[in-house]
Amino acid sequence: SIIDLATGQQPLCNEDGSAVVVFNGEIYNHLELRSRLEERGHRFATKSDTEAIIHSYEEHGVDCVSDLRGMFAFAIWDRLRRRLLLARDRLGIKPLYYHVGCDFVVFASEIKALLTHPRVPREIDPEGLDLYLSLRYVPGPRTMFRGISKLQPGHLLVCDEAGIRLRQYWDVPCPEKRAEPLTRAETLEARDKLAAVLEESVRLRLVADVPLGVFLSGGLDSTSVLAVMNRLAPGEPARSFTVGYETALGDDEPANEFTFARQAADSFGANHQELRLETKDVKDVLREVVWHLDEPVADPACVPLFLVSRLARNDVTVVLSGEGADEILGGYGAYRRMLHLERVHQHVRGARGSLLAAAGQILPGVSGERARHFLRLASKPLPLRYHGVSRGFLPETKGRLVGCDDHARVDQCATDLFSDHFRAVAGAPPLEQMLYVDIKTWLPDDLLVKADKMTMANAQELRVPFLDHRLVELAATLPSELKIRGRHGKAVLRDAMSGVVPQPILERSKKGFPVPTGRLLRDLSGFSREVLLDRSSACRSWFDRKAVEDILDDHATGRAQRDQEIWSLLVFELWHDQFLKRRFEPMHYPATTLQAAAAAG
């Protein structure tokens, strides 16, 4: 409980008990909604933001979601209309899963809850597994489980006597290509608008009846959040938390950002804590992390996030973070690389493009699989080339793993998925197309699921100011030149924070959370080999044993960098062991309970 700890218990009903809601998340504009609804005669029994949802539903029906500003997954049962409404927030900050049986629907905020139902199957979805190998996560609406779906961000599910209907109620705006460059006045106006909406977003997320803090990496995004928090509450030192590894990434580059995080904390007088991790800490919690994720997400940053959340929970219940800024403002280096490839592609279309594609397929002397993959990419248009900022097994390795030599076919599921999203924004500039794709795939199904589940596992709530839907809508309308400028992304945010954020942080290039995965897996090499090559392992059932052995040997001998592949296989194996091998105790429904439910309608 975050708002109204005394009377906000759920489920909550409307005045006459004809509609009831269960809800996970926060409605940040609930006081504004409450005022409007009370003017229209609605009577509130609590101070909870949950109650604003049920009265909004009374007033507007399923369109009530349009008034909600926040992160949410909720279910409403309307007894009079015999209607179930499921809704998920616009960006997918909060998860919602469901299964449709022949005569029932079951839903939950965690897959493991669905699996306790005796009629929900526990089977791998082969297409979900295929996508996981390509991307290191399973993009919605699929999950790794056959028959279990994610309700997509910005969508509703309505179930009544007419059947089940899915409806999209929100989408990221699609900007048109702009012919003329921005004027200086337009650039300054965009900077000021972004700063104003970000401040409003942070202000809304500071409302809580419990202590709150901030995850501080020392990068531009989290430092910007801390700077705005400090401006809004200057007399209250923020509590900030950072995490990193003692191990170096290589060439003495630290696997942490402690120096920059300390500089940010000192600049704004934050009460700062650091968590220093050793590689042994990973093995101790990896199974627990996979359990909380519900389905495989092969992002090594899950572990430090889980551990720093556990540390922070000693002091705060709510934390803010900078998640989402890269996806809405072009912060990742992959975007610049893909724009470079786009320029290359324009020069090699036609016959020369065909030659490049052929070279990428047949030239073993072109410095390895990644170089050949680059040549193949350069010959393809953007919708066939870009599979998001997260990449799993390259086609050659994946083909050996699953026993398929056709590199085009081995990635077909991912290609079809991304092509569908690209078609929705075909008229937008290339950068905006990529941002749209990542907001639809990587953001909700890797970054946000990781953020939500690792914090909720520690009874902690994470709030993400950069993903306020009004800020996302504003960012989507900004021209690409305000996002990528030279070697930096998020140019407009840098402009907005100039003179506010310390200059060394302002000038930093995007680093991403540093995880020494290679060193971790070397320390865990015996554990990994034992788990993946065990006679009863899932990897032996689903993949070619020789291909798995080659991946492990390449890493052990240093012949090739196989960190991500091994991590992906290890997460899959630990997930399979906990979710498919072990027994889930089913829920039991006594006849009296079923009769009472039927009598209640």
Side-chain angles (χ1 to χ4, degrees):
S1 296
I2 306 297
I3 301 292
D4 188 11
L5 278 61
T7 64
Q9 291 84 3
Q10 299 180 33
L12 271 175
C13 296
N14 62 345
E15 293 93 333
D16 64 3
S18 62
V20 60
V21 62
V22 288
F23 161 56
N24 177 29
E26 297 291 339
I27 305 302
Y28 300 120
N29 65 333
H30 73 100
L31 292 178
E32 174 190 340
L33 291 175
R34 180 189 187 104
S35 177
R36 296 204 315 247
L37 290 163
E38 285 179 331
E39 288 176 0
R40 297 187 63 84
H42 294 271
R43 299 189 308 278
F44 282 70
T46 76
K47 296 180 181 179
S48 168
D49 56 338
T50 308
E51 196 173 2
I53 299 173
I54 198 68
H55 292 301
S56 292
Y57 173 78
E58 284 185 285
E59 193 70 27
H60 303 294
V62 298
D63 293 327
C64 65
V65 288
S66 299
D67 288 335
L68 304 180
R69 187 173 184 181
M71 55 180 184
F72 53 83
F74 66 80
I76 291 175
W77 171 247
D78 185 330
R79 180 170 54 85
L80 299 180
R81 295 177 178 83
R82 296 183 55 77
R83 177 167 70 191
L84 171 72
L85 169 66
L86 303 181
R88 190 176 179 197
D89 66 66
R90 295 165 179 84
L91 278 304
I93 302 167
K94 287 295 180 181
L96 184 52
Y97 306 95
Y98 66 95
H99 167 78
V100 178
C102 59
D103 58 355
F104 73 102
V105 175
V106 59
F107 58 90
S109 57
E110 293 185 75
I111 289 176
K112 61 179 68 69
L114 299 183
L115 294 176
T116 64
H117 193 289
R119 293 169 63 190
V120 173
R122 277 198 290 149
E123 303 170 4
I124 287 180
D125 177 3
E127 190 164 321
L129 177 57
D130 183 271
L131 288 166
Y132 172 74
L133 294 176
S134 293
L135 304 172
R136 293 191 284 144
Y137 64 92
V138 182
R142 290 186 178 277
T143 69
M144 189 65 91
F145 295 88
R146 188 196 302 270
I148 295 179
S149 301
K150 302 177 182 107
L151 184 61
Q152 289 288 73
H155 279 68
L156 308 172
L157 182 149
V158 178
C159 177
D160 56 23
E161 292 177 345
I164 293 176
R165 302 175 298 285
L166 290 169
R167 188 183 110 193
Q168 185 172 9
Y169 69 88
W170 182 87
D171 200 1
V172 182
C174 177
E176 297 296 326
K177 293 180 181 178
R178 183 185 172 104
E180 67 283 354
L182 286 174
T183 65
R184 175 166 173 74
E186 288 174 319
T187 300
L188 295 176
E189 181 184 10
R191 176 200 67 186
D192 294 343
K193 279 185 178 178
L194 183 82
V197 178
L198 176 60
E199 180 168 318
E200 180 190 30
S201 178
V202 172
R203 177 178 56 77
L204 288 170
R205 284 156 182 79
L206 294 181
V207 176
D209 294 337
V210 294
L212 51 78
V214 60
F215 285 153
L216 186 61
S217 69
L220 174 63
D221 311 333
S222 60
T223 306
S224 298
V225 171
L226 176 60
V228 177
M229 289 174 67
N230 184 69
R231 185 161 64 234
L232 292 171
E236 302 175 23
R239 296 179 178 91
S240 60
F241 307 88
T242 192
V243 61
Y245 289 91
E246 296 285 7
T247 306
L249 291 170
D251 299 325
D252 296 324
E253 181 186 1
N256 61 66
E257 298 178 276
F258 290 145
T259 300
F260 290 101
R262 283 186 217 123
Q263 184 176 17
D266 291 344
S267 296
F268 301 105
N271 182 349
H272 188 60
Q273 295 184 53
E274 295 175 355
L275 179 63
R276 295 175 174 270
L277 303 179
E278 300 285 355
T279 53
K280 66 179 180 60
D281 298 319
V282 174
K283 185 178 178 181
D284 292 342
V285 300
L286 186 53
R287 286 184 184 273
E288 187 177 0
V289 164
V290 171
W291 169 255
H292 286 297
L293 285 169
D294 275 343
E295 58 178 336
V297 178
D299 188 337
C302 290
V303 173
L305 178 56
F306 175 77
L307 292 171
V308 75
S309 176
R310 189 165 70 183
L311 168 70
R313 186 61 181 87
N314 294 325
D315 296 307
V316 300
T317 308
V318 174
V319 282
L320 277 67
S321 79
E323 259 89 0
D326 292 307
E327 289 78 11
I328 68 171
L329 293 171
Y332 294 119
Y335 300 136
R336 297 193 299 279
R337 291 192 294 273
M338 280 292 157
L339 291 175
H340 173 68
L341 271 175
E342 184 69 8
R343 290 190 288 272
V344 171
H345 175 73
Q346 297 304 318
H347 290 292
V348 298
R349 282 188 300 180
R352 285 189 295 171
S354 300
L355 288 173
L356 266 182
Q361 294 285 345
I362 65 175
L363 288 182
V366 181
S367 150
E369 180 182 358
R370 292 190 178 275
R372 294 193 296 276
H373 182 61
F374 177 89
L375 289 175
R376 282 195 296 268
L377 290 179
S379 69
K380 296 178 179 179
L382 184 62
L384 298 179
R385 179 195 328 134
Y386 185 66
H387 283 179
V389 295
S390 176
R391 180 76 211 192
F393 291 85
L394 292 175
E396 290 178 33
T397 303
K398 182 181 172 185
R400 289 194 294 271
L401 202 63
V402 300
C404 177
D405 296 329
D406 186 338
H407 295 151
R409 189 162 63 86
V410 84
D411 252 358
Q412 194 61 50
C413 286
T415 299
D416 291 345
L417 171 82
F418 283 91
S419 295
D420 288 344
H421 290 307
F422 272 107
R423 274 193 289 273
V425 286
L431 175 61
E432 312 312 320
Q433 293 182 39
M434 290 187 284
L435 296 179
Y436 180 87
V437 165
D438 282 331
I439 288 172
K440 292 294 182 179
T441 54
W442 147 266
L443 182 68
D445 296 319
D446 184 312
L447 187 73
L448 290 176
V449 77
K450 169 188 71 180
D452 179 74
K453 290 180 183 290
M454 295 300 93
T455 50
M456 292 294 280
N458 291 292
Q460 190 170 65
E461 180 175 277
L462 184 71
R463 296 179 177 179
V464 282
F466 280 104
L467 294 180
D468 185 284
H469 76 273
R470 294 185 185 174
L471 183 54
V472 174
E473 289 170 350
L474 171 64
T477 64
L478 298 178
S480 301
E481 63 194 276
L482 287 179
K483 296 168 184 171
I484 291 182
R485 185 186 301 150
R487 63 186 182 89
H488 287 306
K490 298 177 288 197
V492 66
L493 180 61
R494 294 177 196 277
D495 292 344
M497 291 294 120
S498 180
V500 179
V501 166
Q503 197 65 24
I505 294 175
L506 199 68
E507 294 175 352
R508 289 186 68 193
S509 296
K510 175 68 182 176
K511 184 174 183 179
F513 188 84
V515 179
T517 315
R519 172 63 185 274
L520 291 175
L521 289 171
R522 280 193 293 275
D523 289 350
L524 295 174
S525 59
F527 171 72
S528 301
R529 185 172 287 271
E530 178 185 350
V531 167
L532 298 179
L533 298 180
D534 184 86
R535 190 177 300 275
S536 63
S537 72
C539 284
R540 286 188 61 154
S541 300
W542 287 90
F543 310 128
D544 181 84
R545 176 187 168 88
K546 180 65 166 57
V548 175
E549 286 181 336
D550 288 346
I551 290 170
L552 291 167
D553 291 343
D554 282 350
H555 182 75
T557 60
R559 283 197 302 265
Q561 186 175 346
R562 298 296 192 190
D563 305 352
Q564 296 295 354
E565 289 99 325
I566 297 174
W567 190 270
S568 298
L569 293 173
L570 190 57
V571 168
F572 171 74
E573 188 65 48
L574 295 178
W575 166 82
H576 187 277
D577 178 64
Q578 295 186 89
F579 282 85
L580 296 186
K581 282 187 179 178
R582 298 188 185 183
R583 179 180 175 82
F584 272 65
E585 290 301 322
M587 295 184 292
H588 297 287
Y589 298 97
T592 52
T593 304
L594 293 174
Q595 290 164 0

